[in-house]
Structures are given as structure tokens and as C-alpha cells.
């Protein structure tokens, strides 16, 4: 890593951590129903929505009702996005006259956005009308993020509802499911109104100032300065500039860990991410809410040290992996280095006799390193940092093409997803996933010292462990089984000559592309090794199902734990209670995450990126 | 149950209006008022005609212009209707072959350069629309452009310098040269003479 990369990483982390406390504190006030400042401006809107929708703000839900309305609301969203895509040809705000999206692609995209994954099998500028983007995808960007936040808050309530006087008094003789964990509608509306909308509004305008487009014009044609040639050597004299309401959508797709781009290449497109400053802001937005929610959690459980401990465990995993990724990319691709550094005449044909490779003359100006699939304005440091942030969080937007990363540089983003999207993870979903690992860590520690495990005064018993295990084990199951099915045949396509057509890259890298796709869908991330053509019946369906399972089959057990914990009595901590805010416990959480992730995925990773790395360093991949 | 369904539809409808219509409309309104140039694509105008966007790269591959990076968009390079990277893996022979061919072409066009070819000149960008090249890649081409236009090296170098952006705040991103801007500056220079 060059000095500039260290500085960029340091600045990023410092700004991020500095914002955790103020935003986390603010969000805690929002979820605890306290005055937060914005309620003075938008205060008329909230009760208005409740009145129109017939919501009693004071009435709370047990976990089963909460889960039911979460699923109901998400199902409506999913159907709405599907319908919009199928009918877009008949609807307004479609200046390019784009036709209806085919059913399998529309299903995939609808699931993708409802589940906060935002996997893109579509290409925005050629497939979706402005109306579909705004009213379909844009709305899901907000509500799917808010769904994750609501479920998290419900879980936190489950952990905290033990005080003698709960905020809402339970009915006389309340038992079983009548232990409540909040009102989903209130959590949903407040998340949107006081957190996501205001932050997006500010970010969108900042992005426009940098050159991100925001308009409703049709595409603009311009005359090229120099005539170019197309694939058939026919002259091309014009260029068509895509337009659209991009900034408003990009702001929320970054903040809500959605990641579905307005344009095909997502955050690498100059109209989505115009300058290094817009890049920094979008990068900050990726981890902002997931990190700040840790502090919100601390405030709500009445001990901010608990929140900092969880955040520290995330950092312990995130920072070293990011450093590894940047270093791998800056080290570059030996095969390409060999080509660009040595005059053709002096080049040894097998590459073995070459002198040791010196860095190119202008290392600090980024003329070296792996620049395939990266933009000059970002360079390698900002690209690799983004790749790690977007996969640590379940964001999935990209500002460089992960498919062209060096094998180790690509392994790290893939593994960050496979860890279960709990290192920051999705807004809300990352932290509730992480809390499942915390429950497991507490349980393991309890076994080691021979005491009943407790977390925040709640006994962790068989039911919680079963549910937490479900949350932790379902995504790897989906990823590995999905990948296995795909490479057995259904996910492979051949040309007439019998050559592999999809995945397009040969050898170990082709396997990595398939593994990456299922890792991304099976953990609701949404980024891709984009060479893989996912827009066919098999991948549209299989990845769609993977996304559905990994989102909703985790929400249900999580809410079940919330309900179960809410019913439990508070056990005051004693001499034998394991404190859960110490460095020791931070290591224990991070260790649990890494161990589960490593044990589950090392074999698969060995077949993909690790094999490719050995191939690359041995020089075999370099000789066409 | 029935009341939940009614509530769900109403909340969905209201949030759709709020986040899917009011929010983007409000952002568009303010963006068009405060940043009209950026909001509409940073399009450079000449005599009332759009000649390109300073954010979207164009193909330049003849001797009198600074060359832009290779672009992987189809069917022609720098097709801004279909942004795309190459998505070639690091050990894909197709990638190494492409880099080898490009390197050969770059070396042949710059016989006076003996050092390594700047990597960004022979690798495809992520978007296929990268408007920039690195300062090293520009410097590599200065002599060739100067020769083709019958200009002094330093005159061309000065234009490159004027169209070079440093890292934001000295740290973010990378230094870069806007290819369209520097080439338009070259054309303007020749018109003046």
C-alpha cells in the first residue's frame, strides 16, 4: 500500500467513527419516540399517515403479528415492483419507450429490491423506464431499508423489555405472545420520515453538485470530436448521453445498503459518481447507518459500551481485510506488468527469466497496479476501499469491476459477503445478524466457564440458540447448495462448438463468478462478478429464490428471538456473568464470525480464488 | 387480519407518494435551480451545440489527439448508452492478449518512449466511459501529439497541466487529466494560430 492509500483509509475511518455517536444518538431518539428535532418540521406528516392508514400509534404487536405485517408489507412491495416492470410500456415517464421487462427478469428484480439485495440482472439505462426506477426501485430502496431497521429495533426491544415498567403497560396477566416488541408501522414510518428521507435529501443534493445527473429529460445526442469505429468498422459520429433522476436514487441506494445502480456499471458510471469527492460521500454513506446503529443499540439497551463493543468487533474484521484488498490490487497483475514494463524484444517468453519487477516510475500517480476495470479518477485505493465497504455492508454497489480484481483482491469482497453480512451488513439486518453471532459467542463462552449464558440480563436458552443457529446457517446453505447446483450444469452455457460461454471467464475464475453470484444473492448483497450472464431463466429464478430465503427466513427467527427474550425475566449480573463490553469479548465475537465463515467457505474458496492466485503467480494464466 | 391488509396497502401507497414522487421531484426542483449544469449532465456547449460531456469520455485514437483509455462497451467503444467494463478475470488469456496487443500498438506509436507503458492506457475502465487518463499516461503521449500538430513539447505539456486535476483536498482519488478537455484545448490552439 502506498502512503496515500493509508491516508485515504484513515480519513475514511475517522470520519465514519466521528459520525457514529451523533447519528446513533439521534436514531435512538427516533425509535424511542422522543423529540428528535425534525419532528417539529415533519411532525404533521406522521400523525397524518397514521390517521389515513388507521394505525393506533400506542398499540403494540407480539412477535408473530410483527413478523406477519413485515411479510405482508414486503409482499405488496414485491408485487408492485413486478407489476410496474411488466406494465412500464403503457405507463408515463418512459421517454425511451422501453418495453415490458420479461417475467423472469422482472421477478428477479422485484425480489432483489424488496429484499434489500439489489442484484442487477437488468441494465438500468436500456431496460427500465424512469417511472420504474423511481416509483418501483426507488421506493423499495427506502422501505426495504426501513424494514431491516424496524426488525432490528424490535429485537433490541426484546432485549430491553424487562424493566418493572415497560414503556407500554402490558395487559393484565399478559403471557406468551402478548409480550410486545413494538409496532412495525410506527417503526417503518419513523425510519423513513426522520432518518432515511432527510439524509438522502442532503446527500442527493451534494451529489448533484459534483455532477451526478438529476433530470427528467430524454437521452441527449452529441456529435463526437473524433469519428470512432464500431465493431464492424463502420464510422460512429455521435454519442447518446443517458439522463434521468439519478442523484435522488443513488443517495438512498448508498444510505439504505441497497446498491442497485441507476446505470449498468453502478457507481463506476461518471453520471453516478462523478468525482473523488462524490465517491467519498457515497462511500461514507455505505457504512454510515450500519455503523451508527451500533451506537443506537447501545443507547437503547442503556449501556453504550455494548454498542461500541459490537462496532469494535466489526472493525477488527473489516480493517485488516480492507488493507489486504488494497495491497493486493496495488501489487497488480504480474502478467500485465510483464507486458507493460518490458520492451517486446527483451521479454522472456515464459516470463521466468525476467528481472525482479520494479514499481513503475509514477507509482504515486497510479500508473501501476491492477487498473483493469477501474476508473482513473478513483484509482486503486478508493476502488478497493469501496469494494470492501460495499461487501462488508450488504450494499453491493460498485465503483470498479470486481470481476477483474486480482484473485486475492476479489477473494476478500467475496468472503466479506460469505461472513453473513454481519460486518456492518445491511441497515438493521447487519446488526441483527451480528447479534445472533453475539448470542452464539455468549453461549460458547458460557459453555467454557460452565455457567448459564446470559446477554444483557437475559438468559440464552435452547430456543434462542436454535433460532440463532438458523439465522447463521441458512445463508451458507443457500450459497453452497446454489453454487453446487449451478456448476452441475444448469448454470453453465456452451456455444455450438462446445466451448464454455457462461461463465465467460475460463478455469478457476469461472467458478469464482458463480460462487460470487450465490454468495451475493444468498447474503442479500447485490454486487457481482459481472461477467457472469445472470439474465437467463436459471439465474433469474435461482438467485431470486436465494434472495427470498436469505432475507425472510432470517427475519422470522430473529423476531422469534425478540419475542422470546421479551418474555424473559431480567437477571441481574452476578460475579460469574461474562461482561460483554470488554476487549476479550470483542475478540470472542470477531473470532466466532471468522471461524464460522472460514470453516464453511474455505473449501469453496480454495477451488476458486485461491487456485487462481496460485495459477497467476506461477505464470500459467499469463500465457495465452 | 383484514385491517392489517388495509393498513399495509395504505402505508405502502403513502410511502410510495412520499419517497417515489415527492422526494425525487423536490430533489430535481432544487438541483435544477441550484446546479443546472451538473444536474443536466455537465454538457459542454459550443455555439449553442452540445459537443460532449466533460464527465463522459469519447474515443480518441488518432495521432493528433491524446488517446483515451480502452473501452469495453459494445458495439462501439465509449457507447454511453451501454456502460460496461470488460469483466475479464486476471488470468483470462483474452485479457493478457488484449493488453499485449494494446501495449504493442502504444509502443509503436511512441517510438521515442522507452519506459513502461502506463497501465491505464492499456486496460479497460470500469464504466467504459472513463473521461480521464493518468498524468503519466498523458506525459507518455506529449511528444507524439506535439509532433503531429507541429507544436513545441512544452506548449502541449502546458495544456496537459492546465487540464490536470489534483487529488481532492490533496488526498482523495487520484490525479487525472480530462482527455476531452485537453483535446478541445489543443484544437482551440490550432484554430488561433
Amino acid at each position: 500500500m502506498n502512503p496515500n492509500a493509508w491516508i485515504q483509509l484513515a480519513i475514511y475511518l475517522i470520519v465514519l467513527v466521528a459520525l457514529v455517536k451523533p447519528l446513533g444518538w439521534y436514531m435512538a431518539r427516533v425509535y424511542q419516540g422522543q423529540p428528535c428535532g425534525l419532528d417539529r418540521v415533519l411532525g404533521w406528516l406522521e400523525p397524518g399517515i397514521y390517521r389515513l392508514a388507521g394505525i393506533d400509534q400506542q398499540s403494540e404487536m407480539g412477535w408473530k403479528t410483527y413478523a406477519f405485517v413485515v411479510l405482508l408489507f414486503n409482499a405488496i412491495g414485491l408485487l408492485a415492483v413486478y407489476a410496474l416492470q411488466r406494465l412500464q410500456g403503457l405507463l408515463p415517464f418512459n421517454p425511451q419507450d422501453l418495453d415490458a421487462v420479461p417475467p423472469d427478469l422482472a421477478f428477479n428484480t422485484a425480489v432483489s429490491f424488496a429484499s434489500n439485495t439489489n442484484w442487477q440482472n437488468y441494465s438500468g439505462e436500456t431496460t427500465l423506464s424512469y417511472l420504474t426506477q423511481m416509483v418501483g426501485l426507488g421506493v423499495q430502496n427506502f422501505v426495504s431499508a426501513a424494514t431491516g431497521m424496524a426488525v432490528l429495533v424490535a429485537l433490541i426491544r426484546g432485549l430491553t423489555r424487562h424493566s418493572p415498567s415497560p414503556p407500554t403497560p402490558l395487559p393484565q396477566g399478559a403471557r406468551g405472545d402478548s409480550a410486545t416488541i413494538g409496532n412495525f408501522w410506527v417503526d417503518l414510518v419513523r425510519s423513513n420520515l426522520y432518518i432515511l428521507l432527510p439524509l438522502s435529501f442532503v446527500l442527493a443534493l451534494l451529489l448533484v453538485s459534483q455532477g451526478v445527473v438529476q433530470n427528467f429529460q430524454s437521452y441527449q445526442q452529441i456529435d463526437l470530436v473524433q469519428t470512432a469505429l464500431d465493431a464492424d468498422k463502420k464510422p460512429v459520429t455521435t454519442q447518446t448521453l443517458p439522463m434521468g433522476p439519478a442523484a435522488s436514487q443513488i443517495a438512498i441506494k448508498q444510505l439504505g445498503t441497497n446498491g442497485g445502480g441507476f446505470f449498468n456499471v453502478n457507481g463506476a458510471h461518471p453520471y453516478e459518481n462523478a468525482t473523488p469527492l462524490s465517491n467519498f460521500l457515497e462511500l461514507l454513506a455505505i457504512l454510515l447507518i450500519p455503523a451508527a446503529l451500533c451506537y443506537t443499540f447501545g443507547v437503547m439497551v442503556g449501556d453504550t459500551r455494548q454498542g461500541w463493543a459490537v462496532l469494535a468487533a466489526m472493525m477488527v474484521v473489516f480493517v485488516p481485510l480492507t488493507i489486504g484488498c488494497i495491497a493486493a490490487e496495488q501489487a497488480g497483475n504480474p502478467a500485465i506488468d510483464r507486458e507493460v514494463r518490458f520492451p517486446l524484444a527483451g521479454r522472456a517468453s515464459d516470463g521466468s527469466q525476467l528481472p525482479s519487477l520494479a514499481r513503475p516510475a509514477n507509482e504515486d500517480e497510479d500508473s501501476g497496479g491492477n487498473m483493469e476495470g477501474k476508473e482513473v479518477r478513483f484509482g486503486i485505493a478508493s476502488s478497493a476501499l469501496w469494494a470492501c465497504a460495499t461487501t462488508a455492508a450488504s450494499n453491493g454497489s460498485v465503483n470498479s469491476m470486481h470481476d477483474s480484481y486480482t484473485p486475492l483482491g476479489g477473494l476478500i469482497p467475496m468472503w466479506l459477503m460469505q461472513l453473513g453480512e454481519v460486518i456492518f451488513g445491511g441497515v438493521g439486518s447487519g446488526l441483527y445478524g451480528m447479534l445472533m453471532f453475539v448470542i452464539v459467542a455468549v453461549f460458547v463462552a458460557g459453555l467454557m466457564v460452565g455457567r448459564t449464558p446470559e446477554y444483557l440480563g437475559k438468559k440464552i436458552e435452547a430456543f434462542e440458540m436454535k433460532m440463532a443457529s438458523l439465522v447463521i446457517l441458512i445463508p451458507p446453505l443457500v450459497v453452497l447448495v446454489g453454487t453446487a447446483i449451478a456448476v452441475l450444469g444448469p448454470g453453465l452455457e456452451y456455444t455450438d462448438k462446445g466451448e464454455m460461454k457462461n461463465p465467460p471467464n475460463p478455469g478457476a475464475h469461472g467458478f469464482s463468478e458463480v460462487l460470487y453470484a450465490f454468495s451475493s444473492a444468498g447474503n442479500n448483497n447485490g454486487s457481482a462478478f459481472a461477467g457472469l450472464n445472470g439474465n437467463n431463466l436459471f439465474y433469474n429464478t435461482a438467485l431470486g429464490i436465494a434472495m427470498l430465503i436469505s432475507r425472510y427466513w432470517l427475519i422470522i427467527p430473529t423476531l422469534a428471538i425478540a419475542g422470546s427474550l421479551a418474555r424473559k425475566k431480567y437477571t441481574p449480573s452476578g460475579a460469574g456473568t461474562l461482561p460483554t463490553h470488554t476487549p476479550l469479548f470483542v475478540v470472542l465475537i470477531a473470532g466466532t464470525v471468522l471461524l464460522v465463515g472460514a470453516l464453511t467457505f474455505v473449501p469453496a474458496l480454495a477451488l476458486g480464488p485461491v487456485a487462481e492466485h496460485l495459477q497467476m503467480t506461477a505464470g500459467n494464466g499469463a500465457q495465452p | 387480519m383484514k385491517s392489517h391488509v388495509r393498513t399495509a396497502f395504505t402505508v405502502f401507497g403513502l410511502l410510495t407518494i412520499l419517497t417515489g414522487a415527492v422526494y425525487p421531484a423536490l430533489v430535481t426542483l432544487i438541483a435544477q435551480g441550484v446546479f443546472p449544469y451538473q444536474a443536466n449532465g455537465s454538457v459542454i456547449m459550443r455555439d449553442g451545440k452540445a459537443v460532449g460531456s466533460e464527465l463522459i469520455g469519447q474515443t480518441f485514437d488518432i495521432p493528433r489527439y491524446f488517446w483515451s483509455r480502452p473501452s469495453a462497451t459494445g458495439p462501439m467503444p465509449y457507447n454511453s448508452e451501454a456502460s460496461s467494463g470488460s469483466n475479464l478475470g486476471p488470468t483470462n488469456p483474452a485479457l493478457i492478449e488484449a493488453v499485449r496487443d494494446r501495449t504493442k500498438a502504444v509502443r509503436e506509436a511512441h517510438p521515442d518512449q522507452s519506459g513502461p507503458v502506463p497501465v491505464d492506457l492499456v486496460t479497460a475502465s470500469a464504466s467504459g466511459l472513463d473521461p480521464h487518463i493518468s498524468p503519466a499516461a498523458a506525459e507518455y503521449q506529449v511528444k507524439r501529439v506535439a509532433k503531429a500538430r507541429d507544436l513545441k513539447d512544452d506548449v502541449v505539456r502546458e495544456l496537459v497541466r492546465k487540464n490536470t486535476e489534483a487529488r481532492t483536498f490533496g488526498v482523495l482519488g487520484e490525479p487525472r487529466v480530462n482527455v476531452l478537455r485537453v483535446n478541445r484545448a489543443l484544437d482551440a490552439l490550432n484554430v488561433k494560430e
Side-chain angles (χ1 to χ4, degrees):
Chain A
M1 268 172 80
N2 66 5
N4 173 262
W6 286 106
I7 297 171
Q8 288 202 44
L9 177 61
I11 291 180
Y12 178 63
L13 293 174
I14 290 168
V15 174
L16 178 67
V17 172
L19 291 172
V20 161
K21 191 171 167 180
L23 181 61
W25 174 84
Y26 170 83
M27 288 194 290
R29 290 188 77 83
V30 170
Y31 289 121
Q32 291 174 324
Q34 294 158 331
C36 60
L38 270 179
D39 49 354
R40 277 191 237 160
V41 190
L42 298 170
W44 56 276
L45 210 49
E46 193 190 350
I49 293 175
Y50 297 151
R51 205 171 315 119
L52 281 173
I55 296 164
D56 175 9
Q57 204 181 338
Q58 301 303 323
S59 111
E60 295 227 337
M61 302 169 178
W63 81 264
K64 284 179 186 161
T65 314
Y66 203 100
F68 171 74
V69 292
V70 166
L71 295 180
L72 176 68
F73 182 75
N74 277 260
I76 293 173
L78 201 156
L79 290 176
V81 178
Y82 183 83
L84 270 170
Q85 292 178 85
R86 301 288 293 139
L87 300 173
Q88 70 176 13
L90 311 172
L91 297 169
F93 291 106
N94 184 8
Q96 299 307 118
D97 287 327
L98 298 164
D99 281 339
V101 181
D104 57 329
L105 180 57
F107 163 74
N108 186 283
T109 307
V111 173
S112 176
F113 276 76
S115 65
N116 199 254
T117 311
N118 316 81
W119 172 269
Q120 287 177 271
N121 272 348
Y122 63 92
S123 156
E125 58 266 54
T126 52
T127 319
L128 301 179
S129 73
Y130 293 168
L131 185 79
T132 310
Q133 293 258 21
M134 272 193 326
V135 179
L137 310 189
V139 171
Q140 286 305 311
N141 282 345
F142 280 96
V143 298
S144 70
T147 297
M149 294 160 89
V151 172
L152 169 69
V153 173
L155 176 64
I156 298 176
R157 290 201 189 100
L159 280 162
T160 52
R161 293 244 163 130
H162 49 58
S163 54
S165 55
T168 312
L170 298 178
Q172 205 67 35
R175 266 188 20 197
D177 287 338
S178 59
T180 58
I181 52 173
N183 183 321
F184 173 68
W185 305 120
V186 175
D187 293 337
L188 176 76
V189 169
R190 293 183 73 90
S191 300
N192 278 306
L193 219 50
Y194 299 134
I195 300 170
L196 295 173
L197 272 169
L199 281 175
S200 303
F201 184 71
V202 173
L203 181 62
L205 290 177
L206 287 173
L207 292 180
V208 175
S209 80
Q210 294 301 302
V212 178
V213 294
Q214 179 74 25
N215 58 56
F216 288 97
Q217 299 166 11
S218 51
Y219 296 0
Q220 280 196 47
Q221 206 176 59
I222 57 109
D223 293 325
L224 290 173
V225 175
Q226 182 211 306
T227 304
L229 295 177
D230 70 6
D232 303 326
K233 305 279 174 209
K234 286 207 198 79
V236 180
T237 56
T238 59
Q239 191 182 39
T240 307
L241 303 174
M243 294 282 139
S248 56
Q249 195 161 320
I250 290 156
I252 180 61
K253 75 134 167 152
Q254 295 301 99
L255 284 163
T257 59
N258 296 284
F262 196 84
F263 302 110
N264 186 39
V265 290
N266 209 297
H269 198 293
Y271 277 167
E272 268 205 52
N273 192 357
T275 65
L277 184 58
S278 71
N279 188 68
F280 184 81
L281 293 169
E282 292 181 23
L283 190 54
L284 191 64
I286 293 178
L287 294 188
L288 181 65
I289 295 179
L293 278 172
C294 293
Y295 190 84
T296 307
F297 163 70
V299 172
M300 289 180 75
V301 300
D303 181 0
T304 50
R305 292 174 307 177
Q306 304 291 343
W308 288 117
V310 174
L311 183 61
M314 293 177 176
M315 286 289 187
V316 164
V317 178
F318 176 70
V319 175
L321 286 177
T322 304
I323 291 171
C325 184
I326 298 175
E329 289 308 293
Q330 288 199 332
N333 183 340
I336 289 182
D337 285 357
R338 202 174 294 136
E339 298 299 328
V340 299
R341 281 185 196 164
F342 298 97
L344 291 174
R347 189 165 56 79
S349 60
D350 63 355
S352 58
Q353 300 302 314
L354 293 169
S356 70
L357 299 178
R359 300 299 306 153
N362 290 294
E363 181 188 358
D364 203 46
E365 293 183 349
D366 217 333
S367 57
N370 182 18
M371 283 299 286
E372 179 72 22
K374 294 193 182 66
E375 301 278 297
V376 168
R377 62 190 179 285
F378 308 139
I380 287 173
S382 298
S383 297
L385 177 54
W386 181 303
C388 291
T390 195
T391 48
S394 75
N395 189 291
S397 62
V398 296
N399 76 346
S400 55
M401 293 297 120
H402 295 186
D403 211 349
S404 297
Y405 271 43
T406 60
L408 295 185
L411 181 150
I412 288 171
M414 193 171 350
W415 199 46
L416 274 166
M417 296 188 297
Q418 290 165 343
L419 292 179
E421 290 302 4
V422 296
I423 305 305
F424 299 102
V427 287
S429 64
L431 186 51
Y432 67 65
M434 190 61 157
L435 289 174
M436 297 301 126
F437 275 98
V438 170
I439 287 176
V440 172
V442 166
F443 183 78
V444 171
L447 287 183
M448 287 194 279
V449 296
R451 272 187 61 99
T452 319
E454 289 162 16
Y455 185 55
L456 304 175
K458 294 292 176 93
K459 280 201 165 64
I460 304 299
E461 293 167 298
F463 180 76
E464 288 77 31
M465 275 309 293
K466 279 184 208 158
M467 293 297 128
S469 306
L470 276 182
V471 173
I472 289 172
L473 292 178
I474 285 174
L477 192 75
V478 170
V479 172
L480 293 175
V481 171
T483 308
I485 293 174
V487 297
L488 279 175
L492 310 177
E493 286 173 77
Y494 298 89
T495 59
D496 297 339
K497 287 183 211 152
E499 286 165 348
M500 183 80 81
K501 189 172 76 179
N502 195 33
N505 280 290
H509 196 81
F511 175 73
S512 298
E513 288 180 306
V514 177
L515 179 62
Y516 196 103
F518 280 94
S519 301
S520 176
N523 289 287
N524 298 128
N525 180 278
S527 69
F529 272 10
L532 182 79
N533 172 20
N535 186 12
N536 54 43
L537 189 62
F538 172 74
Y539 283 112
N540 276 333
T541 316
L543 296 175
I545 293 171
M547 291 186 273
L548 272 179
I549 295 176
S550 296
R551 176 71 167 181
Y552 299 106
W553 283 16
L554 305 200
I555 282 182
I556 297 169
T558 302
L559 288 172
I561 291 184
S564 152
L565 289 175
R567 286 196 295 273
K568 293 193 185 206
K569 283 206 298 281
Y570 176 68
T571 321
S573 61
T577 309
L578 176 77
T580 49
H581 60 266
T582 57
L584 174 72
F585 192 71
V586 169
V587 173
L588 199 61
I589 308 175
T592 310
V593 173
L594 291 175
L595 204 66
V596 172
L599 289 176
T600 319
F601 287 103
V602 160
L605 291 171
L607 291 174
V610 175
E612 192 186 16
H613 176 72
L614 297 174
Q615 187 190 358
M616 182 181 83
T617 49
N620 293 334
Q623 305 302 324
Chain B
M1 169 70 202
K2 214 168 151 191
S3 75
H4 283 314
V5 175
R6 193 187 75 86
T7 304
F9 273 102
T10 318
V11 172
F12 183 75
L14 291 172
L15 287 180
T16 299
I17 294 170
L18 211 55
T19 62
V22 176
Y23 161 71
L26 204 61
V27 173
T28 310
L29 208 67
I30 298 177
Q32 291 290 337
V34 185
F35 307 110
Y37 174 73
Q38 291 96 320
N40 294 319
S42 309
V43 175
I44 304 171
M45 305 295 284
R46 191 182 52 203
D47 310 329
K49 236 173 109 316
V51 294
S53 162
E54 64 172 309
L55 293 177
I56 305 289
Q58 302 183 5
T59 302
F60 290 104
D61 54 5
I62 58 176
R64 44 189 278 107
Y65 285 123
F66 280 94
W67 295 355
S68 14
R69 297 185 66 188
S71 160
T73 62
M76 62 284 213
Y78 287 92
N79 176 6
S80 50
E81 275 183 294
S83 57
S84 169
S86 75
N87 287 312
L88 295 176
T91 55
N92 192 330
L95 171 68
I96 311 303
E97 235 166 307
V99 170
R100 180 170 297 165
D101 292 347
R102 292 168 190 153
T103 309
K104 187 158 171 277
V106 168
R107 281 221 170 86
E108 281 169 4
H110 303 84
D112 43 6
Q113 294 284 355
S114 60
V117 176
V119 172
D120 55 318
L121 264 192
V122 293
T123 48
S125 62
S127 61
L129 307 173
D130 197 339
H132 299 111
I133 52 177
S134 67
E139 175 57 35
Y140 197 90
Q141 303 181 53
V142 161
K143 281 191 177 155
R144 186 205 77 227
V145 173
K147 207 168 149 194
R149 291 186 175 254
D150 211 7
L151 290 167
K152 285 208 185 71
D153 289 359
D154 283 341
V155 175
V156 176
R157 206 165 272 135
E158 177 61 17
L159 283 187
V160 170
R161 201 189 54 78
K162 275 189 192 154
N163 290 289
T164 302
E165 289 163 88
R167 289 192 172 112
T168 311
F169 311 132
V171 283
L172 300 178
E174 296 294 338
R176 57 208 183 276
V177 180
N178 189 303
V179 182
L180 178 63
R181 286 217 322 242
V182 76
N183 283 336
R184 293 200 59 238
L186 279 169
D187 282 349
L189 200 67
N190 279 42
V191 168
K192 254 188 268 166
E193 278 176 3

